[in-house]
Amino acid sequence: MFLEILLKILSIFLLVGIGYFVYKIRLVPFDALKTLNAFVLNVAVPCLILQSMQRDEITDEVRRDILWSLVAFAIVTLVIAAIAVLVMRRIKSVPEDDKGIYSVQLAFTNCGFMGYPLTTVMFGQYGLFLAIIMNIVFTTFLYSIGVVMLLHKKGEKLFTMKLMVRMLSVPFLASIAGLLIFITGFHFPTFIDDTLTLMAATVSPVAMFIVGINLSNSKLKEIFTPRNLILCAVSLIVVPFFTLGVDMLLPISNFAMVIHVFLMAMPSAAITTVLCNRYNKNAKLAAEGVASTTFFSLGTLALWTFFLTKMFL
């Protein structure tokens, strides 16, 4: 089991290396970054959202898992986001413009890009189903609250009209449409669903490829800085333990709890790099955070999987 998950994480992490070296040897121009970002945010991610929000008929037991998975994920994400913002405001050594990046990377994990394939490998199709359910909260919050966290500056009012306008992105609108699809039980015709599935499959490799391109101007010592090492410790150890503590207070099933903790043990979301490029933030810093947390997750995810299965399944 340890080797299986290690190899799966390594295969995803190698996508970052491909992006890095392809740009270094100039097979892809840096100007392509803008086009790749637009593709991921405006085409691939909306397809992933719409495709994953479709659901089949559910039993009472599954309905209970769905309900408490949504509640638990929402509570943990909101609390971590609030704590991250409050803590970052008090740290004067971090540039004001970078505080939102660290906050977003602490609150939002790579629960889709890495979470889906790893959950399927380790916990089967029902585990993947619950991961997709939890991703409803993730996508809705990331493209609303996450964008506010990224763009908000000290002294500004929250949810100003200017900020609200900047939040109106294609992924955000797709998340709203996805919620309606989930609530109504709507299903796309097979040929459309197949197309959405194919497009959704491009999100993970292209997003990690973008991280690699952004890292091409970074040095190794810039990736493993003291700040990023702290980010790794909090993201990969503290956040999952906090999630476990909250879930144990809720009437959530052991299996759903294991999936939730496993998703929150993922490295920082690769999509934050794409969002930083979109909103002219420090994408290089975001990419360094994604790379460092992904690197250390090679070991921590395997340990979390072993711990969770032995203790709760």
Side-chain angles (χ1 to χ4, degrees), residues 52-120:
S52 65
M53 295 294 194
Q54 299 174 92
R55 61 177 175 83
D56 298 318
E57 292 298 322
I58 52 178
T59 64
D60 289 340
E61 183 179 351
V62 174
R63 189 176 289 109
R64 180 182 174 85
D65 274 348
I66 290 174
L67 172 62
W68 286 109
S69 293
L70 291 170
V71 170
F73 203 96
I75 291 173
V76 169
T77 301
L78 287 173
V79 171
I80 292 175
I83 292 174
V85 169
L86 291 174
V87 170
M88 291 309 302
R89 282 183 179 178
R90 295 179 179 274
I91 302 177
K92 296 181 179 180
S93 60
V94 178
E96 191 66 32
D97 209 41
D98 293 342
K99 291 182 177 181
I101 298 173
Y102 285 116
S103 297
V104 171
Q105 290 195 318
L106 284 170
F108 296 96
T109 69
N110 211 347
C111 61
F113 299 164
M114 283 183 65
Y116 283 2
L118 291 178
T119 300
T120 304

Side-chain angles (χ1 to χ4, degrees), residues 42 169 244 251:
N42 298 327
S169 61
L244 181 62

Side-chain angles (χ1 to χ4, degrees), residues 233-277:
V234 176
S235 296
L236 304 176
I237 300 173
V238 177
V239 167
F241 268 119
F242 175 79
T243 302
L244 181 62
V246 171
D247 283 4
M248 291 182 73
L249 298 175
L250 300 173
I252 187 172
S253 70
N254 277 7
F255 190 79
M257 178 178 68
V258 165
I259 300 303
H260 186 199
V261 175
F262 185 68
L263 293 179
M264 295 304 291
M266 295 289 155
S268 298
I271 200 68
T272 56
T273 304
V274 180
L275 288 174
C276 286
N277 281 314

Side-chain angles (χ1 to χ4, degrees), residues 27-67:
L27 284 179
V28 173
F30 198 79
D31 294 345
L33 195 59
K34 185 176 181 180
T35 302
L36 290 172
N37 271 285
F39 168 75
V40 170
L41 278 179
N42 298 327
V43 182
V45 165
C47 287
L48 173 64
I49 293 170
L50 295 176
Q51 193 276 331
S52 65
M53 295 294 194
Q54 299 174 92
R55 61 177 175 83
D56 298 318
E57 292 298 322
I58 52 178
T59 64
D60 289 340
E61 183 179 351
V62 174
R63 189 176 289 109
R64 180 182 174 85
D65 274 348
I66 290 174
L67 172 62

